[in-house]
Amino acid sequence: MALKPQITPYTGPAGGWGSLKSVETALLREDRLITGNALLLRQNKPDGFSCVSCSWGKPGRPRTFEYCENGAKATAWEITRKRVRSRFFEKHTVTELRGWSDYALEAQGRLLNPMRLDHVTDRWVPVSWESAFAEIGAELKKLEPKTTVFYASGRAALETSYMWGLFARLYGHNNLPDSSNMCHESTSVALPQAIGAPVGTIMLKDFAKADCILFFGQNVGSNSPRMLHPLQAASKRGVPIITFNPLRERGLERFTSPQAPLEMLTGAETRISSQYHQVKAGGDIAAILGLCKALLAGDDAATAAGRKPWLDHAFIAEHTHGFQDFADAAREADWPALELRSGLTRPALEGVAAIYAHAQATIGIYGMGLTQHRAGLENVRMLMNLLLLRGNVGKPGAGVLPVRGHSNVQGQRTVGISEKPELVPLDMLAKQYRFEPPRETGMNTVEACEGIIAGRVQAFLGLGGNFIRAVPETVAMEEAWPRLRLTVQIATKLNRSHLFNGEVAFLLPCLGRIEVDQQASGPQLVTCEDTMTKVHASQGTVVPAGPRLRSEPAIVAGLAKATLSPNPLVPWDAWVGDYGLVRDAIAATYPEAFHDFNTRVFKGGFHRPLPARQRVWKTDTGRANFHVPTSLRTDLDTDLERHDVLQLLTIRSNDQFNTTIYGMEDRFRGVSGTRMVLFINAQDIARLGLRDGGTVALTTAVEDGVARRVGGFRIVAYDIPKGCCAAYYPECNPLIPLWHHAEGSKVPAAKSIPVNLHAAP
Ligand SMILES: Nc1nc2c(c(=O)[nH]1)N[C@H]1C(S)=C(S)[C@@H](COP(=O)(O)OP(=O)(O)OC[C@H]3O[C@@H](n4cnc5c(=O)[nH]c(N)nc54)[C@H](O)[C@@H]3O)O[C@H]1N2
Ligand SMILES: Nc1nc2c(c(=O)[nH]1)N[C@H]1C(S)=C(S)[C@@H](COP(=O)(O)OP(=O)(O)OC[C@H]3O[C@@H](n4cnc5c(=O)[nH]c(N)nc54)[C@H](O)[C@@H]3O)O[C@H]1N2
Ligand SMILES: [Mo]
């Protein structure tokens, strides 16, 4: 990609012609224009496949084009005509490939053959599936199970995920870290404390009933664009949509639906946010506490004047615990401190509180901007405090909506991929399969990294994903990785995690979800759970990329059979022949959520039950809990008083899916031809003696004996609060110390990395 880097502000809306052009470019790039366009009509349809991009919900009655720009890109990327043939690895050594970019590696196309690493020639070499399984099984049998890690990236379906978790437990460990450990784990820990549910309470139909939407730290235009349709409808009804985000994200500002001919022809745009507050990165606790303080003051005034109160006192009395302590803390909070920490003014926060106070049903939406902080849990609890003050849970049109990442990341946790044994029905599994499951807590992502660096972990098996590129502390991780005895990666495309390998290493290529999955009983479908707890089916429709690819369930079964002694109660072969039997097994383990799984999923899918929706609180107090924040700061590592330290937030471009880089175009932020940019406030550029357009290196501003540095970033003067700066993930991951993670969930604090800037000579 020898594009000339260009930085020019983008003036268009999200969606619109820019979006259509981008879809066509993506299809052309993969040489799939005609098939691709026809295929996109089946995306997210009851008889079609479920998008491999994000986890946003699918409407009961889908539109003709129920896909978005980024979903279409993900489809094009998977159905590409490009192939990684054996010739490729004959030509390129693994060490040479380490010099390639993330984009260049994946752009080679789909992996075709199972491969074993030959350390002598430093090359991947094709092997048969049988010998791969046999050797991996033999290695695993020699190892102590608790020294092995089975990672999962959030895409694999419920059937595969159930089999993966069961394989780990039959083998003897709970070391099942998941991409959600880097993502919404702060949600999965904080929401149960607050409302007794690990997931959001909102369903798609609530959008039509909401009369206020609060948006914190989620970039809808790039990361869940299909949500723009219900947001557009809400905006057209006059619903206030109030956004808190350090960056002015275009998708949160304006949208033209590419699926509405009239809008496209007339260029009509809908404003999305009615108010936009550029909170400082890490300023949300202060901002939300300010909102709560203003709400309490408004309530006092309204009550004194005999007007309608601003708080839902009946809800608070009947359903909550800890209100008085929280109210005292909010009343005591000092406005100058709240303004300083949030970067927002008192009148601005009071204005939002007044709007919120008069809405009947509010949705609180959030993403990585809240979860990926040292105080990620407190962020989530603060948002819940705000919602609880007005009874905004468990009534139509109101609730909390964490927007999950990968398309089945939520579902994987539901069916047993968890390092926390208390979240898995181990007794049920023990009875169903007559074995004694391991009961100790396993390793999450950060702990797996610590174990790998310390030499405690001996084997890593990855069900998808790009672990080494997605985790913090890149340099130490890449150094430690080759000391592993066994590494196995199940993948569709080549990525950096396939270039760092253990003594015995395998790369196993699998079918993608869009491809026809033919097994003994016929073509199979799989199931996923979306961000609104809806379980739905997905049927692959495209001819597989190559004849030797195997499905993920078949690969998991192959590994398990080669590793475990036979157990007639775990019919791996029969399961692979008919995934309906895996669904029956899931229904037996989780009868409450998955009874009659096969019947119900064919009737359009179903929502998992969620007590908080009915105002039944499965918490320690039996009520919804208020929480008093321990500090206004989300990050105690960053010394904001030190004028040379900036707070770096790592962001995604409009042309990537996590570590998968589709191209060098971040249309909405006006960047093209490069990803090596640092967005920073013009006043900070001047203050630090730097120059717009100049080049800088970044180092991590913590003193822990480790030097962390990334270089070659072009300075871009940008509309971002002073003291913060932003650059792309995963390029900045070498800067994140492994210990710099959310307290209580260990989600790496990727939105608040203290950094120093150094002008290049
Ligand atoms: N096309 C596409 N879709 C995706 C993905 C992708 O990479 N590409 N990734 C998928 C995955 S796995 C996930 S988890 C989701 C991620 O989707 P998001 O949750 O949207 O995550 P990010 O892109 O990291 O951006 C978070 C937003 O938070 C803002 N932010 C940063 N710091 C703060 C803060 O301190 N406070 C507030 N209020 N805001 C802040 C940033 O400016 C940014 O707009 O998307 C999923 N969907
Ligand atoms: N600095 C920073 N770091 C972050 C984040 C951040 O915002 N900032 N975000 C974090 C978040 S939210 C997440 S979720 C993680 C993501 O971490 P991961 O989920 O581990 O990474 P991905 O980039 O989604 O994985 C991409 C790879 O998945 C493989 N793949 C794609 N489709 C399939 C399939 O169908 N089956 C199989 N088996 N493999 C497939 C391909 O080989 C592709 O290269 O990164 C985290 N890291
Ligand atoms: Mo994620």
Side-chain angles (χ1 to χ4, degrees):
M1 293 220 75
L3 281 177
K4 193 171 168 314
Q6 273 192 345
I7 319 282
T8 20
Y10 177 70
T11 51
W17 291 107
S19 158
L20 278 193
K21 185 166 155 254
S22 182
V23 169
E24 301 295 271
T25 311
L27 289 171
L28 273 173
R29 199 161 49 198
E30 306 308 326
D31 194 13
R32 281 292 201 178
L33 191 57
I34 294 172
T35 346
N37 270 323
L39 189 66
L40 289 172
L41 291 173
R42 303 190 67 173
Q43 193 149 326
N44 297 320
K45 293 297 169 54
D47 63 339
F49 63 92
S50 138
C51 181
V52 293
S53 189
C54 80
S55 61
W56 186 246
K58 287 93 197 143
R61 262 176 294 141
R63 287 171 287 270
T64 315
F65 303 99
E66 189 54 46
Y67 64 88
C68 70
E69 170 181 347
N70 281 324
K73 280 184 196 166
T75 299
W77 199 247
E78 183 166 309
I79 63 164
T80 177
R81 283 191 203 280
K82 297 177 191 158
R83 302 284 181 269
V84 182
R85 301 184 195 282
S86 314
R87 276 199 307 280
F88 177 83
F89 292 109
E90 286 162 18
K91 237 167 99 189
H92 305 289
T93 64
V94 166
T95 310
E96 178 208 330
L97 292 170
R98 286 184 192 168
W100 291 29
S101 69
D102 300 301
Y103 170 81
L105 290 172
E106 286 211 32
Q108 299 312 309
R110 292 288 300 277
L111 295 166
L112 293 179
N113 296 304
M115 284 173 294
R116 184 185 193 287
L117 188 74
D118 179 351
H119 282 283
V120 178
T121 60
D122 190 25
R123 284 178 167 82
W124 284 111
V125 179
V127 284
S128 71
W129 281 104
E130 284 58 41
S131 64
F133 290 147
E135 195 179 349
I136 297 165
E139 285 290 331
L140 285 175
K141 278 185 200 167
K142 280 189 275 182
L143 294 173
E144 157 56 37
K146 294 191 174 57
T147 66
T148 70
V149 168
F150 290 13
Y151 172 68
S153 163
R155 191 174 289 191
L158 291 171
E159 293 78 359
T160 316
S161 303
Y162 179 81
M163 291 166 73
W164 188 243
L166 184 61
F167 171 27
R169 295 195 168 93
L170 288 165
Y171 175 51
H173 67 77
N174 286 310
N175 298 330
L176 288 157
D178 179 288
S179 58
S180 99
N181 287 140
M182 297 177 254
C183 184
H184 266 294
E185 189 65 16
S186 302
T187 296
S188 307
V189 179
L191 283 188
Q193 295 168 351
I195 55 169
V199 297
T201 62
I202 285 294
M203 295 196 257
L204 214 41
K205 63 181 186 202
D206 287 310
F207 272 83
K209 300 197 179 108
D211 62 359
C212 179
I213 295 175
L214 302 175
F215 231 108
F216 289 86
Q218 204 273 341
N219 185 11
V220 59
S222 289
N223 297 336
S224 50
R226 285 183 301 109
M227 196 206 301
L228 284 167
H229 296 284
L231 286 177
Q232 185 185 34
S235 168
K236 285 184 173 166
R237 290 201 324 269
V239 172
I241 301 177
I242 303 171
T243 294
F244 293 81
N245 195 313
L247 300 179
R248 294 198 72 92
E249 306 284 24
R250 184 49 44 90
L252 285 160
E253 293 184 314
R254 295 183 270 132
F255 175 55
T256 295
S257 172
Q259 298 159 13
L262 193 65
E263 278 180 37
M264 291 296 277
L265 285 175
T266 57
E269 297 175 358
T270 310
R271 64 101 187 129
I272 296 296
S273 297
S274 49
Q275 287 190 24
Y276 210 112
H277 299 281
Q278 284 180 273
V279 62
K280 274 189 195 166
D284 300 275
I285 295 180
I288 304 175
L289 194 60
L291 294 177
C292 294
K293 184 177 174 70
L295 212 56
L296 285 157
D299 188 66
D300 292 343
T303 315
R307 290 194 310 268
K308 198 166 175 267
W310 281 23
L311 304 186
D312 185 341
H313 291 284
F315 174 85
I316 292 171
E318 190 185 341
H319 288 287
T320 70
H321 171 85
F323 167 73
Q324 207 48 55
D325 286 348
F326 174 70
D328 291 346
R331 285 198 168 94
E332 275 162 30
D334 166 51
W335 274 114
L338 295 174
E339 291 184 313
L340 179 75
R341 288 289 166 217
S342 66
L344 304 175
T345 64
R346 175 178 174 173
L349 293 170
E350 286 175 338
V352 176
I355 294 173
Y356 174 58
H358 291 94
Q360 299 313 308
T362 296
I363 303 181
I365 304 178
Y366 70 93
M368 299 298 99
L370 292 196
T371 62
Q372 292 179 332
H373 283 285
R374 293 283 268 167
L377 270 65
E378 300 238 311
N379 273 336
V380 174
R381 302 277 318 252
M382 271 312 298
L383 178 55
M384 278 320 308
N385 288 337
L386 180 63
L387 292 171
L388 291 177
L389 284 177
R390 290 196 39 79
N392 277 310
V393 189
K395 69 178 178 190
V400 64
L401 177 55
V403 185
R404 299 273 166 171
H406 275 290
S407 47
N408 194 36
V409 66
Q410 190 166 307
Q412 295 193 331
R413 294 308 221 189
T414 305
V415 296
I417 294 196
S418 175
E419 71 284 359
K420 294 176 181 157
E422 64 277 17
L423 300 183
V424 184
L426 292 182
D427 292 336
M428 192 66 116
L429 288 174
K431 218 166 76 193
Q432 203 173 337
Y433 302 110
R434 293 213 198 105
F435 77 117
E436 191 36 59
R439 303 274 170 175
E440 315 75 30
T441 299
M443 293 178 225
N444 60 24
T445 292
V446 162
E447 290 153 358
C449 292
E450 288 166 350
I452 290 167
I453 291 173
R456 287 192 300 271
V457 172
Q458 306 211 36
F460 178 97
L461 278 65
L463 177 59
N466 188 0
F467 188 81
I468 215 166
R469 196 70 176 133
V471 298
E473 208 79 88
T474 313
V475 174
M477 285 301 295
E478 291 186 353
E479 262 167 31
W481 203 267
R483 292 200 290 272
L484 289 166
R485 169 65 191 166
L486 172 72
T487 53
V488 179
Q489 301 283 1
I490 303 168
T492 51
K493 296 260 186 110
L494 187 63
N495 65 43
R496 196 163 172 87
S497 294
H498 310 150
L499 307 177
F500 293 83
N501 297 291
E503 285 170 52
V504 176
F506 287 89
L507 178 51
L508 306 178
C510 64
L511 291 176
R513 198 192 296 152
I514 304 172
E515 290 166 318
V516 176
D517 182 354
Q518 187 72 38
Q519 301 294 349
S521 67
Q524 302 297 307
L525 57 78
V526 294
T527 53
C528 297
E529 174 184 330
D530 69 27
T531 208
M532 283 134 180
T533 66
K534 181 158 185 213
V535 178
H536 58 273
S538 171
Q539 173 94 57
T541 48
V542 172
V543 178
R548 298 190 69 202
L549 298 183
R550 293 212 178 162
S551 73
E552 289 180 323
I555 296 172
V556 176
L559 294 170
K561 273 174 51 187
T563 309
L564 309 171
S565 33
N567 175 345
L569 295 170
V570 193
W572 296 108
D573 288 332
W575 281 356
V576 174
D578 179 358
Y579 301 171
L581 299 175
V582 186
R583 288 188 286 277
D584 287 342
I586 296 175
T589 312
Y590 303 90
E592 199 189 335
F594 289 102
H595 64 89
D596 304 308
F597 193 175
N598 277 306
T599 323
R600 289 195 296 155
V601 85
F602 286 111
K603 289 190 186 150
F606 54 91
H607 283 96
R608 280 203 297 123
L610 201 65
R613 280 192 189 128
Q614 276 73 49
R615 296 191 167 176
V616 173
W617 317 103
K618 303 269 183 193
T619 60
D620 54 350
T621 59
R623 290 164 164 245
N625 288 315
F626 280 98
H627 172 74
V628 180
T630 47
S631 164
L632 291 186
R633 299 176 52 173
T634 59
D635 188 350
L636 298 170
D637 306 329
T638 319
D639 183 356
L640 292 171
E641 321 315 326
R642 268 182 62 185
H643 88 291
D644 61 326
V645 177
L646 295 182
Q647 191 157 345
L648 172 73
L649 45 124
T650 53
I651 51 175
R652 295 163 160 79
S653 81
N654 181 49
D655 219 6
Q656 80 181 82
F657 189 92
N658 298 339
T659 69
T660 294
I661 311 301
Y662 302 126
M664 304 293 143
E665 192 82 27
D666 195 2
R667 196 169 81 249
F668 299 151
R669 300 197 185 103
V671 175
S672 90
T674 179
R675 292 174 50 82
M676 296 302 284
V677 289
L678 180 75
F679 301 104
I680 165 171
N681 186 293
Q683 288 185 38
D684 284 330
I685 297 181
R687 186 173 61 84
L688 296 170
L690 302 167
R691 177 177 64 80
D692 188 10
T695 308
V696 277
L698 286 73
T699 54
T700 311
V702 294
E703 272 141 40
D704 64 350
V706 182
R708 301 179 185 83
R709 180 189 173 91
V710 290
F713 287 78
R714 173 177 165 157
I715 298 176
V716 176
Y718 205 72
D719 186 1
I720 181 171
K722 278 183 289 181
C724 312
C725 59
Y728 296 119
Y729 139 68
E731 285 79 356
C732 290
N733 285 39
L735 294 173
I736 313 177
L738 193 52
W739 50 261
H740 183 67
H741 54 64
E743 284 165 18
S745 70
K746 298 203 174 173
V747 169
K751 299 292 185 266
S752 57
I753 312 165
V755 291
N756 290 125
L757 308 187
H758 312 268

